[in-house]
Amino acid sequence: MDHDAMDLAEARYELVISVDARRSGEYDDVDKQRMRERIYRVLEAAFTHAKVARDAVHMEDRGDGVLLSVAGRIAVTRLLGLWMVEVHENLRDENRGLSVPLGLRVGMHVGPVRHDGRGISGRAVDLACRLADSPLARRLLDAERADLVLVTSQSLYEDVVSSGGKFIEPAHYSSARLELKEGEVTAWFHLPGRPAPEIPTAAPAAPDADRADDVDGVDDARDARDVSDTRGADDAGGVDDVRRVDGEDRADAPRAHYTVHGDMSQHSDNVYQQPVHIGRITGDAGRRKG
């Protein structure tokens, strides 16, 4: 029996690690090469200090990052614990004195992995990559001004992280739902050396009391945004001709909201002593005859 052929056909249950650099597209060719060298120094030194044999690790270059899988004989707790601590410390050392520090997003998941002559594949690989590349991971790295963010799958958190261990603190992880290409999943986010991160959320919807005054059934917040972003075609004086006009705030008068294209005048409780014309007169109609 060809054991090598059998190994290629069968999936191995391994830890998959996807490592991506922050804003790699902003590096020029020279700096990108230095960035890549830093990533490899950080990862390889961490494997050495965590005593993970080099032949237990598969590494694929991804240009602005690295895709790895670690053989099942290596305890996952060692990678989530000591290895992550070493990655973080090595990264901090690399970033000392850099005007633009290197930031890394790391996604982790355990699952079936298939190896062939070109690398690794499988749903476990896809998920680890999606986690590292998720918009929320990017936002957290920037919002927290962090060097490193780790994102684990729900199953990895439940099976390993939640039980704790050396350098593994479940209370320092926060969960969030992510919309991925394959569907919605739960992921767990961790910033090494810090408490559990606060997960950014979308701006809260306006309270019902605020929406009650919306006469046209459209959210006032959206209306105001539309007004501020739109310019009228007749704007000749440098001022937007699309304006929001509110009436006087009176206890006995309902509030009103208008979205106007062109000119508008609002008159309330006025007394006129003679005939008046309200509005803009253009063309020949606006000329006085001599």
Side-chain angles (χ1 to χ4, degrees):
M1 181 181 293
D2 188 341
H3 292 283
D4 290 336
M6 181 181 66
D7 286 344
L8 289 175
E10 293 180 348
R12 309 172 189 176
Y13 209 74
E14 298 181 340
L15 173 67
V16 182
I17 306 172
S18 176
V19 180
D20 283 341
R22 170 173 48 197
R23 294 197 186 91
S24 60
E26 297 180 7
Y27 290 88
D28 60 27
D29 288 348
V30 174
D31 286 336
K32 182 165 289 189
Q33 181 62 36
R34 293 170 179 164
M35 173 201 75
R36 287 161 46 80
E37 292 170 355
R38 292 189 185 102
I39 293 175
Y40 279 97
R41 281 199 299 268
V42 165
L43 300 180
E44 290 172 347
F47 280 122
T48 298
H49 289 124
K51 294 182 170 55
V52 177
R54 189 63 186 85
D55 63 359
V57 181
H58 168 84
M59 301 181 73
E60 289 182 28
D61 185 78
R62 290 299 178 97
D64 58 352
V66 183
L67 177 63
L68 311 100
S69 65
V70 183
R73 69 177 187 270
I74 306 297
V76 176
T77 51
R78 194 185 309 176
L79 279 303
L80 278 166
L82 180 58
W83 184 77
M84 281 304 306
V85 169
E86 291 293 339
V87 168
H88 184 225
E89 290 303 318
N90 294 341
L91 183 57
R92 292 178 62 193
D93 287 341
E94 288 285 344
N95 282 335
R96 295 186 196 280
L98 291 181
S99 57
V100 181
L102 172 63
L104 296 180
R105 303 185 309 274
V106 179
M108 283 192 185
H109 177 56
V110 172
V113 177
R114 283 183 165 78
H115 292 251
D116 59 30
R118 296 177 178 84
I120 58 176
S121 63
R123 291 184 179 180
V125 176
D126 295 342
L127 180 54
C129 293
R130 299 271 194 267
L131 296 178
D133 195 43
S134 63
L136 183 50
R138 296 171 182 271
R139 289 174 61 191
L140 271 179
L141 200 61
D142 289 338
E144 298 292 336
R145 298 179 181 273
D147 299 300
L148 176 68
V149 59
L150 168 65
V151 192
T152 72
S153 63
Q154 171 78 353
S155 60
L156 182 55
Y157 180 86
E158 291 178 347
D159 295 342
V160 182
V161 177
S162 63
S163 299
K166 191 172 184 179
F167 303 117
I168 301 176
E169 300 182 73
H172 288 188
Y173 285 71
S174 296
S175 65
R177 295 291 287 174
L178 301 180
E179 278 288 349
L180 306 181
K181 291 181 179 180
E182 296 79 5
E184 193 175 66
V185 301
T186 297
W188 289 82
F189 295 80
H190 173 55
L191 300 173
R194 304 192 187 191
E198 291 187 12
I199 302 299
T201 57
D208 291 340
D210 292 341
R211 292 199 299 268
D213 297 328
D214 188 7
V215 296
D216 61 358
V218 181
D219 187 13
D220 279 349
R222 191 177 69 188
D223 285 347
R225 188 165 59 248
D226 291 343
V227 169
S228 64
D229 290 344
T230 308
R231 288 185 176 272
D234 295 330
D235 184 9
V239 180
D240 290 348
D241 276 339
V242 180
R243 302 180 178 92
R244 173 175 174 168
V245 182
D246 291 321
E248 294 180 350
D249 291 330
R250 299 183 304 149
D252 59 343
R255 293 176 57 195
H257 170 73
Y258 307 89
T259 299
V260 182
H261 297 267
D263 294 316
M264 175 178 178
S265 297
Q266 182 184 23
H267 300 260
S268 177
D269 298 329
N270 295 318
V271 177
Y272 302 102
Q273 302 301 326
Q274 58 184 351
V276 298
H277 176 84
I278 298 173
R280 179 169 62 177
I281 300 176
T282 61
D284 294 337
R287 299 173 184 166
R288 294 179 179 274
K289 294 183 179 180

